[in-house]
Amino acid sequence: MMGTSQHPGVNIRSIQELLRLCKSCKTCTYKLTVSMLEIYNETILDLLTDRNTPLDIRTQGKKVTVQGLTEIEIEKMDDVIKIMKTGEKNRAVAATKMNSSSSRSHLLLKLTVQSEDKISGQRSIGTLTLVDLAGSERVSKSEASGQRLTEAAAINKSLSALGQVFTALITNQLHIPYRNSKLTHLLQPSLGGDAKACLFVNISPDLNNISETLSTLQFGSQARQIQLGKTTSSAIN
């Protein structure tokens, strides 16, 4: 999702566009803050601090927050890139038989925008959440063992929980199992009807990975059936 300096990924390009839109609006003032976390073995860790302390989720109505998560105010793209590099450096990565630098956690980058209209004084708040999901693993291929096996089990379990949320949303179930994993709990505001969501799936062209490719495409096809409905007002009373 990061890409390279010559070919920036969706993270960089989406934030560049957001900064451009904020700068182009002459009638509003903006405050932008960024936070970055990983979900490693069902534990939430702040990627912008040296403290390796697990963080807790707090829910108030439809609002989901992570207590104690570092938030850094940004003004320009260089600030964002510096923060992303810090977070990526602190993220859990290890080698498996299928990937020499396999992500062992899910990464969430949250950019919060607070605006105020200079004329009316109306304030609003919005959030852009960029999520890099660790890929599901077939242990028979990755040959994960020990700690790598524990990590793979946690990744697969949370992705299964996300699939269960997709199914519940598609079938309009009364209860959506957001709290079955830390991943789905944190994504509740993005999937609960007050937001718009976009999912990219990454597949391998290698014939040896055909089973993983089909599984990934089925996951994407399932997500495509979700209808989130109309977004609600972001105005602050």
Side-chain angles (χ1 to χ4, degrees):
M1 291 180 70
M2 284 289 291
T4 64
S5 56
Q6 293 79 21
H7 302 285
V10 65
N11 278 0
I12 300 295
R13 285 184 289 159
S14 57
I15 295 176
Q16 281 178 334
E17 178 64 10
L18 180 58
L19 289 171
R20 186 192 68 79
L21 291 172
C22 290
K23 188 176 181 180
S24 66
C25 182
K26 305 301 182 182
T27 60
C28 293
T29 58
Y30 294 94
K31 178 183 178 182
L32 291 84
T33 56
V34 171
S35 59
M36 203 169 178
L37 63 84
E38 70 174 347
I39 305 171
Y40 175 75
N41 285 349
E42 277 301 289
T43 301
I44 298 174
L45 299 173
D46 190 340
L47 291 176
L48 300 182
T49 179
D50 293 331
R51 299 188 306 273
N52 200 27
T53 306
L55 303 179
D56 295 322
I57 299 174
R58 183 178 181 182
T59 304
Q60 288 182 312
K62 291 185 177 181
K63 187 177 180 181
V64 178
T65 58
V66 177
Q67 293 180 293
L69 184 65
T70 302
E71 289 187 282
I72 300 176
E73 187 171 350
I74 59 112
E75 296 181 353
K76 54 187 183 298
M77 197 63 212
D78 287 346
D79 299 335
V80 180
I81 292 174
K82 183 178 179 181
I83 290 170
M84 285 182 170
K85 286 182 177 179
T86 299
E88 288 285 351
K89 182 183 68 175
N90 292 332
R91 187 182 185 185
V93 176
T96 69
K97 289 292 184 179
M98 293 186 70
N99 191 339
S100 61
S101 57
S102 174
S103 300
R104 312 312 294 167
S105 66
H106 304 302
L107 182 148
L108 279 76
L109 186 151
K110 179 180 176 182
L111 196 157
T112 302
V113 182
Q114 299 180 60
S115 70
E116 182 174 352
D117 191 293
K118 296 178 182 178
I119 300 172
S120 66
Q122 178 67 61
R123 293 183 298 150
S124 61
I125 186 169
T127 301
L128 173 66
T129 303
L130 298 165
V131 185
D132 185 7
L133 297 175
S136 61
E137 288 188 11
R138 294 182 185 272
V139 176
S140 59
K141 283 191 174 182
S142 67
E143 296 184 17
S145 60
Q147 185 61 23
R148 301 290 86 81
L149 182 60
T150 301
E151 294 164 352
I155 291 169
N156 291 343
K157 183 179 179 182
S158 59
L159 291 175
S160 294
L162 183 57
Q164 292 165 4
V165 167
F166 287 171
T167 299
L169 289 170
I170 292 167
T171 56
N172 296 315
Q173 295 180 17
L174 294 177
H175 172 68
I176 311 297
Y178 288 116
R179 300 199 183 194
N180 281 4
S181 77
K182 297 288 178 62
L183 173 65
T184 51
H185 198 171
L186 288 176
L187 290 182
Q188 182 175 352
S190 301
L191 298 172
D194 292 340
K196 292 296 182 183
C198 181
L199 173 69
F200 296 89
V201 295
N202 186 34
I203 58 175
S204 169
D206 194 326
L207 190 60
N208 292 327
N209 297 328
I210 187 65
S211 59
E212 287 82 3
T213 296
L214 290 174
S215 176
T216 300
L217 290 174
Q218 288 168 357
F219 186 82
S221 179
Q222 183 186 27
R224 191 179 180 187
Q225 299 176 54
I226 299 172
Q227 296 182 355
L228 295 181
K230 294 182 179 179
T231 54
T232 57
S233 173
S234 60
I236 302 174
N237 296 324

